[in-house]
């Protein structure tokens, strides 16, 4: 009896293994074909083919946000005319929530899904299509089957008319530039595509091949960019000790006025003004953007807060550490230009003074802690309103300032042996390469302390989780510098408002004259003490701090006179200057910091 039972059991196990092998031999295959029959109207047609299914129903989902841009953008809003078919026969594909469609797949193994996407927002995080090119920000174009984020997929591109180039970090299939593949959806969603007739140039840095795709023209010098972009990249590789990419793609959109960037694992998208390359300031600004987004291939794309991976494409992904992921990257974008020899010391110190001025002149820096600014990016950082200047602070700006403070603290406390570079490399090696996961807030704090050689509880309490005034001179003093306020002795009067050129108030500053006495955003200032205002810049000419004036505004179509007592303009204009006397230790810190 026992022997017979064992034989039957063995037979059943073999049968189950056999069935399992059959299932494993038929993996789910996913492919997309994109075409542009109505490019002039800004549409892409997407055909999604899925085979190897063995499930009663299939849900396909459109991501609601793009990693690196922390706002739920509801990409499904641009989807039209979704339909599904099985063996050529149309089947129902009802929408079951804002970004999900469901299809009955009981008894079938393959389904075809077709839909259109409207794309008319040329930014680094959204898609745009017209007859000149297509920029596909993949999170807003390609749906994914629920539960299959780890599956590979193939993208087949049917170009519009004379489009003959594709720029992306996705690998080609059999050398065909119009057929690309992704090993999983995290890679697909991290690999935008530029399709058209873009101007392409390339260069190598070490063993990594770089492609730069320029759309929109511009007064750029390709040979100069090759040299200087390579310098930037080399300085960044020196921080981490390696470049993890075999190839990397820059997609640059040159417009009349443009800016911003979005990082990806092996590529980035940059916005630039097509005429900015002709001035030294504009050119250096572009290289700063290159430095920022390229630095992200380590900091945030690989060395990341633990909350940012694996990604949840349906919901917000909260972290208090964007001040490291983004703020430190903003700090390094200027420091790298200095280390690469592109910025001189005066220019670099001017850049850092600019960050300090941004933080110190914003009333919201006394309201919102830095860690909270990171956490609230989803509801505040990317959704500013007329009062945001008074209620919050950017984790980019204050994060860059805090990065400088920590860098100087580490250099000084280690007698020039270590810098923030050592922290970044240690964290990269330990968490991305070693533990193969993201870091927690406590773990990064421990990394700072390891190289600073001291407990940083007080620093965190004051500057990360608190609202203490920053002691700039303490930290800059380590390198023989101090800040001075060029406006400290002035007593100019102020209404405490910002206006546009049409004399319309855009911001009322917390605690200022307008705030206290009731001026409102959207008020149009028409007169001061019955004198018509023609020029905003001179409307307080002849007035003094403490004067009581009558401000005439138009509010909602009505003329209103508001008595206002002018206050002193509390704006600061900080510069970083050398101390009258410096010690050998201060010079050593300075040399380490600025690579002198």
């Amino acid at each position: 009896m026992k022997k017979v039972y064992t034989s039957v059991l063995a037979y059943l196990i073999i049968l189950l293994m056999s069935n399992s092998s059959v299932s494993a031999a038929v993996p789910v295959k996913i492919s997309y074909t994109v075409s542009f029959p109505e490019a002039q109207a800004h549409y892409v047609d997407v055909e999604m083919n899925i085979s190897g299914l063995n499930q009663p129903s299939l849900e396909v989902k459109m991501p609601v946000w793009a990693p690196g841009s922390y706002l739920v953008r509801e990409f499904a809003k641009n989807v039209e005319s979704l339909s599904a078919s099985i063996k050529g026969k149309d089947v129902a594909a009802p929408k079951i929530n804002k970004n999900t469609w469901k299809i009955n797949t009981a008894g079938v193994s393959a389904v075809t899904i077709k839909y259109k996407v409207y794309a008319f927002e040329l930014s680094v995080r959204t898609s745009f299509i017209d007859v000149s090119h297509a920029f596909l920000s993949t999170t807003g174009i390609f749906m994914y089957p629920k539960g299959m984020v780890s599956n590979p997929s193939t993208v087949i591109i049917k170009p519009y008319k004379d489009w003959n180039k594709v720029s992306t970090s996705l690998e080609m299939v059999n050398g065909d530039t119009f057929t690309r593949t992704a090993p999983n959806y995290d890679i697909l969603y991290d690999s935008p595509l530029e399709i058209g007739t873009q101007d392409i140039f390339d260069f190598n840095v070490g063993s990594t091949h770089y492609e730069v795709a320029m759309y929109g023209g511009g007064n750029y010098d390709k040979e100069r960019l090759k040299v200087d972009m390579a310098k930037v990249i080399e300085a960044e590789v020196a921080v981490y000790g390696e470049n993890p990419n075999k190839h990397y793609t820059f997609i640059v959109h040159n417009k009349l006025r443009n800016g911003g960037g979005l990082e990806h694992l092996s590529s980035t998208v940059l916005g630039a003004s097509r005429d900015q390359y002709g001035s030294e300031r504009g050119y250096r600004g572009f290289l700063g953007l290159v430095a920022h987004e390229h630095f992200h291939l380590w900091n945030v794309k690989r060395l990341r807060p633990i909350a940012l991976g694996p990604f949840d494409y349906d919901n917000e992904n909260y972290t208090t550490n964007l001040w490291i992921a983004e703020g430190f990257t903003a700090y390094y974008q200027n420091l790298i230009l200095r280390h690469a020899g592109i910025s001189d010391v005066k220019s670099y110190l001017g850049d850092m003074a600019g960050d300090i001025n941004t933080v110190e002149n914003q009333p919201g820096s006394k309201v919102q802690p830095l860690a909270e600014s990171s956490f609230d990016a989803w509801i505040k950082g990317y959704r500013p309103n007329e009062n945001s200047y008074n209620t919050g602070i950017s984790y980019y700006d204050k994060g860059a300032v805090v990065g400088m403070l920590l860098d100087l603290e580490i250099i000084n406390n280690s007698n020039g042996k270590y810098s923030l570079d050592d922290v970044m490399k240690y964290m990269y090696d330990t968490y991305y390469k070693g533990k193969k996961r993201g870091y927690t807030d406590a773990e990064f704090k421990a990394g700072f302390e390891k190289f600073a050689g001291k407990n940083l509880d007080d620093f965190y309490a004051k500057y990360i989780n608190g609202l203490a005034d920053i002691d700039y001179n303490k930290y800059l003093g380590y390198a023989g510098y101090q800040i001075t306020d060029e406006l400290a002795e002035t007593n100019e009067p102020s209404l405490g408002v910002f206006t546009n050129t049409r004399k319309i108030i855009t911001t009322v500053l917390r605690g200022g004259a307008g705030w206290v006495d009731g001026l409102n955003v959207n008020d149009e200032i028409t007169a001061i003490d019955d004198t018509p205002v023609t020029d905003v810049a001179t409307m307080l000419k002849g007035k003094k701090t403490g004067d009581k004036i009558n401000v005439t505004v138009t509010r909602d179509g009505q003329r209103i006179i508001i008595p206002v007592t002018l206050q002193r303009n509390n704006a600061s204009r900080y510069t970083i200057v050398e101390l009258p006397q410096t010690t050998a230790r201060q010079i050593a810190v300075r040399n380490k910091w600025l690579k002198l």
Side-chain angles (χ1 to χ4, degrees), residues 29 63 81 184 263 265 338 340 359 377 383 511 532 550 558 585:
K29 293 184 178 181
S81 307
N184 55 58
E263 71 275 4
L265 195 70
R338 170 65 215 128
V359 171
R383 283 197 176 105
N550 289 320
Q558 295 182 320
R585 181 186 178 94

Side-chain angles (χ1 to χ4, degrees), residues 510-586:
R510 183 186 293 271
W515 178 284
V516 171
D517 291 324
L519 293 177
N520 286 186
V521 168
N522 296 327
D523 285 351
E524 180 186 358
I525 301 174
T526 58
I528 302 289
D529 288 339
D530 294 327
T531 300
V533 172
T534 57
D535 181 6
V536 170
T538 61
M539 66 182 176
L540 296 182
K541 186 176 181 180
K543 307 297 182 183
K544 301 186 300 296
T545 296
D547 284 354
K548 296 182 178 180
I549 63 174
N550 289 320
V551 180
T552 303
V553 302
T554 299
R555 179 183 297 173
D556 191 30
Q558 295 182 320
R559 180 175 177 271
I560 302 173
I561 298 175
I562 301 173
V564 176
T565 300
L566 295 176
Q567 296 184 18
R568 177 183 177 272
N569 187 343
N570 288 322
S572 300
R573 187 188 300 147
Y574 291 108
T575 58
I576 299 175
V577 298
E578 189 171 4
L579 290 170
Q581 294 181 326
T582 52
T583 66
R585 181 186 178 94
Q586 288 171 320

Side-chain angles (χ1 to χ4, degrees), residues 360-471:
E360 294 303 317
N361 284 317
Q362 187 160 340
S365 67
K366 307 303 181 187
V367 175
Q368 185 184 51
L370 186 54
E372 182 182 298
S373 173
S374 298
F375 194 84
D376 279 349
W378 296 93
I379 59 171
K380 293 184 178 180
Y382 284 85
R383 283 197 176 105
N385 62 24
E386 69 283 349
N387 199 39
S388 294
Y389 200 72
N390 295 313
T391 62
I393 190 65
S394 166
Y395 48 77
Y396 285 90
D397 299 324
K398 191 171 182 180
V401 168
V402 166
M404 179 188 73
L405 305 183
L406 285 167
D407 201 2
L408 289 166
E409 181 78 18
I410 292 165
I411 296 170
N412 181 70
N413 283 13
S414 67
N415 294 315
K417 183 178 181 181
Y418 302 121
S419 71
L420 188 58
D421 290 6
D422 296 284
V423 179
M424 302 306 288
K425 184 179 188 306
Y426 167 77
M427 296 298 292
Y428 175 79
D429 290 343
T430 301
Y431 291 94
Y432 169 68
K433 295 178 67 176
K435 298 181 184 295
K436 302 186 186 306
R437 65 167 175 83
Y439 56 82
T440 66
D441 182 79
E443 287 166 342
F444 219 117
K445 178 174 177 287
F448 292 136
E449 293 173 338
K450 174 181 175 68
F451 291 93
K454 63 181 293 187
N455 180 284
L456 292 174
D457 286 353
D458 184 60
F459 185 95
Y460 264 66
K462 287 180 176 179
Y463 303 142
I464 309 303
N465 301 311
L467 299 168
D469 291 337
I470 296 175
D471 188 352

